[in-house]
Amino acid sequence: LIDWLHIMATVIWIGGMFTNMIILRPAALKVLSPGDAGRLIGAVMKRFRVIVYASIVLLGVTGIPLKIINENYISIINFENNWEIVSFIKHICYGILVILAVYSFEVIAPKLGKLAANGPSDALSRLQKKQMIAGASAFLAALVILILSSLMRYIG
């Protein structure tokens, strides 16, 4: 059950990121006016935010016992085997992913909402670019996490 919950939280969070970056955002920007696309993406992200925060908590709560019961586990921060080293790097990436999610939802999104209400501007364009960089960085961190998680199954 713990493993299943951990995998589900991962699939939902990273799958949502993939859907947003590869499908929703490009389609919305192609067929809707910039204002309508912004409102749609904002509404989706408002709902997705709850899912992301639930996933962060669930991954933390389930990840700790999953790590402890693994036969390769030695201690919290230990570099005596390859599994522990990869696990440490994976958790650094998870921390980066969490920071980027909180930054996007709590810092960038409110500013975007205020700027977008005033119509197109250079400041809005710069902030949208910053949001895209944060999103792409988060997606890259998520992909690294998936690669490292797969690698951890085969090393000891």
Side-chain angles (χ1 to χ4, degrees), residues 80-152:
E80 290 183 31
N81 63 41
N82 290 334
W83 187 89
E84 286 279 7
I85 293 167
V86 172
S87 175
F88 182 77
I89 295 167
K90 174 184 153 184
H91 290 100
I92 294 293
C93 291
Y94 170 76
I96 291 168
L97 186 56
V98 169
I99 289 167
L100 287 169
V102 171
Y103 177 69
S104 291
F105 287 127
E106 306 304 330
V107 177
I108 295 177
K111 289 179 182 177
L112 269 176
K114 288 177 185 173
L115 284 174
N118 298 328
S121 68
D122 288 341
L124 179 61
S125 294
R126 283 191 303 274
L127 196 55
Q128 286 171 327
K129 190 172 190 173
K130 189 181 276 190
Q131 183 185 42
M132 284 302 298
I133 291 168
S137 299
F139 190 62
L140 179 62
L143 292 177
V144 170
I145 289 167
L146 292 177
I147 291 166
L148 294 174
S149 295
S150 295
L151 183 61
M152 287 173 68

Side-chain angles (χ1 to χ4, degrees), residues 16 18 22 35 41 46 71 88 112-113 134:
F18 179 84
I22 306 300
I41 293 167
K46 196 177 259 189
E71 64 189 27
F88 182 77
L112 269 176

